């Protein structure tokens, strides 16, 4: 993916990011995390190592950036006709993605190469955006609903805390219980 | 801290751990994390680098072990006469410790040098033990109380999630609100 002639700087910059992210994802599959180096990524992406260092700092920060991109939702949550059904489905999918071996590795990468916390903040913003989409739908249906921060505290936080600090106890029954409670059930 | 003659293996092993942990804590203050190396730690602790590598694997795993030791509570939660008062005081202290710059650095170290999740699990077990001490007291007083896992989900998880992923919003008012809610208030 070498930049086309006359490419706008923004356009080129976007293509460099895409090429480097793709190189990292491919090399993670092909050679694994331990064999990954910036020169290897740069060669695969068709850029110079200094381009990678200038833009990402080091390999850990690049891996963190790639991880957050991977954790970005690619679609709005499904509309299943009610707040309860939408939250149940979203929370179950969130658990499946985050608790999977790949999800856990991406969460660790996102936190590890993130000295200032920006990437972790992006992960949380993605979850908040999905919840807001569900809440906006509920509002259009006239359903009463808690606010986004309440759902972050009562559904997202327990799932992420247990993935990182307290394994076990994590299944669909557990997240449905969190949703029931967040919606005012006991 | 060289082992005394006739020291039992367990005793020597405990002294090596203490010497290495002390060396790490001192060097973190004196030279900072970026300048820390296993040979530097070993020299300060009076052991060989191979002793450190054999026991801790690498510097990140050693830092993780030191971090978890630092996060171990050194006393039972204060007994203030009621479940509500004990939980408020403990949650506020937990927030102060974990959200401080040192606390955040130790949490990151604990998570990041912890491939198998054991150290993160120890951090969570420490919080659970403190909560259990508070709940046992409440039971002796005859106070109704939620169980430990409920308090982990409703108080510990939101605080830790926001420290790691969603900064801001973290103050005494916030944690007292979590406690109110965890105890059945809205």
């Amino acid at each position: 993916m070498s930049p086309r002639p006359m490419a706008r700087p923004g356009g080129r910059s976007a293509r460099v990011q895409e090429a480097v992210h793709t190189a990292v994802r491919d090399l993670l599959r092909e050679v694994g995390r331990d064999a990954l180096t910036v020169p290897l990524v740069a060669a695969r992406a068709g850029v110079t190592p200094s381009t990678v260092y200038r833009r990402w700092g080091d390999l850990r920060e690049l891996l963190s950036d790639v991880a957050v991109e991977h954790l970005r939702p690619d679609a709005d949550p499904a509309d299943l006709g009610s707040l309860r059904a939408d939250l149940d489905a979203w929370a179950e999918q969130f658990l499946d993605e985050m608790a999977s071996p790949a999800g856990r590795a991406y969460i660790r990468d996102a936190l590890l190469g993130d000295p200032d916390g920006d990437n972790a903040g992006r992960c949380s913003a993605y979850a908040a955006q999905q919840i807001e989409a569900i809440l906006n739908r509920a509002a259009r249906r006239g359903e009463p609903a808690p606010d986004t921060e309440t759902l972050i505290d009562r559904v997202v936080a327990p799932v992420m805390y247990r993935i990182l600090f307290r394994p076990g106890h994590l299944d669909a029954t557990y997240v449905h219980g969190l949703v029931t409670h967040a919606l005012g059930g006991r």
Side-chain angles (χ1 to χ4, degrees), chain A residues 66-73 97-98 103 106-107 110 123 126:
Chain A
V66 170
V68 173
E69 273 308 301
H70 179 92
L71 295 172
R72 178 202 296 273
E97 287 172 5
M98 296 297 167
Y106 279 121
I107 294 167
C123 295
Y126 293 151

Side-chain angles (χ1 to χ4, degrees), chain A residues 71-115:
Chain A
L71 295 172
R72 178 202 296 273
D74 44 19
D76 266 2
D79 183 346
L80 301 171
S82 76
L83 173 61
R84 171 75 210 216
D86 288 0
L87 274 181
D88 271 337
W90 178 79
E92 203 172 322
Q93 184 190 10
F94 181 78
L95 170 65
D96 289 344
E97 287 172 5
M98 296 297 167
S100 69
R104 291 171 189 265
Y106 279 121
I107 294 167
R108 290 177 58 82
D109 284 344
L111 285 172
L112 173 52
D114 187 32

Side-chain angles (χ1 to χ4, degrees), chain A residues 38-53:
Chain A
V38 165
L40 198 61
V41 169
R44 175 68 63 100
V47 302
T48 63
S50 62
T51 299
V52 175
Y53 289 119

Side-chain angles (χ1 to χ4, degrees), chain A residues 148-162:
Chain A
T148 301
E149 294 304 323
T150 299
L151 289 169
I152 293 278
D153 282 340
R154 299 185 189 179
V155 178
V156 173
V159 168
M160 291 295 280
Y161 177 81
R162 289 182 181 276

Side-chain angles (χ1 to χ4, degrees), chain A residues 1 24 50 59 64 67 103 112 114 122 159 184:
Chain A
M1 245 183 85
V24 169
S50 62
L59 182 63
S64 179
L112 173 52
D114 187 32
R122 280 164 61 201
V159 168

